[in-house]
Amino acid sequence: MIERLVLLGTKGGPALRPGGPMPTSCLIEIGGRSAVIDCGLGVTKGLVDAGLSLKGLDLVFITHLHSDHVLELGALIHTAWTAGLATPVRVFGPEGTRDVWAHFCRSLSYDIETRIVDEGRPDILALVTVTEFSQGRVFEEADLSVEALRVDHPPVTECYALRFNENGRSVVFSADTCHFQPLAAFAEGADYLVHEAMLLEGVDRLVARTGNGARLKEHLMASHTLAEDAGRIASDAGCAHLVLNHLIPADDPQVGPEDWERAVRTTWEGSLTIGRDGLELPLKRASAPRA
Ligand SMILES: [Zn+2]
Ligand SMILES: [Zn+2]
């Protein structure tokens, strides 16, 4: 298996615009496992385009229940099921994730029951286990472990950064958060820090465009991180590579990679990637040979 991190959807927020990027989801393939992080709209197509066989869907992690992170969770698993999924899928998410899945299955009960009877498919409910987590160790199997840190994303209280560790490699996802200093310790020495980011000049144009200006700007500033502050976290963490993700704005023609770079270079000198849909980043070799 290729070992890589793939950004499937890189925009912050649920809105779509012609030719624009998709909401948030990532794929990490590490130590023989594959994990999907967040299931924004477009995650299924993103995984297929990245070459993942949906039949092999394995681990799914949801950072929080905002729709731009969870809207396509049910549709992803259901589509994998119709593609021939016959092995267990494990879903990890904050409190409420079990309901999201159960209600999805209820809403699709006609189709699900029909396919079980008509096409002889296994019961989708029996294939999926949902584990609700809070801060701390979320997952551990063989050499792969996943840790969660509660971040600050008001008004959502159940929102978690995730750290994947495997054989000396580590990838950290900030989830949605305002500038949150404890992330620096959580991401210490990570190979990749995938951090959400917002660009101030773009935010001003975004709120001017959408109407409920002052209120929206207040929410964005209280709940998200400016690119400069994402750079500060990466510097304090001493991570090897910063990846800006969940971009706000993501589809402003007046904002390009050079604008993000200018903002983040005031606080971060290391390797940098400005996220875009479909971008693949290689993982370094494992420090210990696998048995
Ligand atoms: Zn979001
Ligand atoms: Zn959010």
Side-chain angles (χ1 to χ4, degrees):
M1 186 193 254
I2 330 160
E3 299 210 296
R4 58 182 180 161
L5 164 66
V6 189
L7 307 178
L8 305 170
T10 53
K11 84 177 289 289
L16 299 184
R17 294 204 172 77
M22 296 300 281
T24 309
S25 59
C26 293
L27 167 69
I28 176 168
E29 292 179 300
I30 188 167
R33 304 299 297 259
S34 65
V36 178
I37 297 92
D38 282 332
C39 290
L41 203 60
V43 62
T44 313
K45 174 80 160 62
L47 287 168
V48 170
D49 285 348
L52 190 97
S53 164
L54 292 181
K55 278 173 82 164
L57 190 66
D58 180 9
L59 305 170
V60 179
F61 295 84
I62 302 294
T63 61
H64 67 301
L65 296 185
H66 264 150
S67 61
D68 53 322
H69 299 254
V70 77
L71 188 62
E72 205 171 299
L73 170 66
L76 166 62
I77 299 171
H78 186 283
T79 306
W81 179 63
T82 59
L85 180 77
T87 49
V89 172
R90 296 186 65 190
V91 178
F92 300 84
E95 188 183 342
T97 306
R98 207 173 275 134
D99 268 0
V100 171
W101 171 240
H103 295 166
F104 171 84
C105 289
R106 210 163 302 143
S107 75
L108 264 287
S109 60
Y110 173 78
D111 177 87
I112 290 171
E113 283 161 25
T114 303
R115 287 183 196 277
I116 291 172
V117 173
D118 184 42
E119 300 172 14
R121 295 190 183 277
D123 184 355
I124 193 170
L125 291 166
L127 285 176
V128 178
T129 315
V130 180
T131 306
E132 294 186 344
F133 67 82
S134 55
Q135 185 158 289
R137 177 69 50 98
V138 174
F139 174 87
E140 187 168 21
E141 225 175 271
D143 294 321
L144 178 64
S145 67
V146 182
E147 312 277 341
L149 172 74
R150 189 195 296 267
V151 289
D152 193 7
H153 183 47
V156 181
T157 54
E158 297 293 306
C159 184
Y160 294 93
L162 296 170
R163 180 178 180 123
F164 288 72
N165 296 299
E166 198 266 351
N167 269 321
R169 284 101 51 96
S170 50
V171 178
V172 175
F173 299 87
S174 73
D176 284 11
T177 181
C178 65
H179 181 200
F180 188 61
Q181 196 54 37
L183 259 174
F186 185 69
E188 192 184 351
D191 300 316
Y192 289 107
L193 169 60
V194 182
H195 202 297
E196 73 128 273
M198 187 166 66
L199 199 63
L200 191 56
E201 71 236 41
V203 168
D204 286 331
R205 270 200 302 279
L206 181 80
V207 299
R209 202 169 63 199
T210 47
N212 58 337
R215 185 82 186 274
L216 179 62
K217 181 162 180 183
E218 218 170 273
H219 160 78
L220 291 173
M221 298 307 285
S223 307
H224 295 284
T225 305
L226 291 172
E228 294 85 339
D229 291 328
R232 274 187 190 99
I233 296 288
S235 291
D236 292 349
C239 57
H241 193 136
L242 171 63
V243 181
L244 296 189
N245 189 43
H246 195 278
L247 304 177
I248 302 175
D251 42 21
D252 181 338
Q254 295 183 60
V255 172
E258 62 286 357
D259 299 297
W260 290 101
E261 187 144 357
R262 196 180 323 115
V264 79
R265 281 302 178 207
T266 59
T267 52
W268 170 248
E269 293 174 351
S271 299
L272 174 67
T273 296
I274 314 301
R276 60 182 160 75
D277 293 10
L279 186 85
E280 273 190 44
L281 296 159
L283 299 185
K284 71 179 189 192
R285 277 171 184 276
S287 59
R290 295 180 58 80

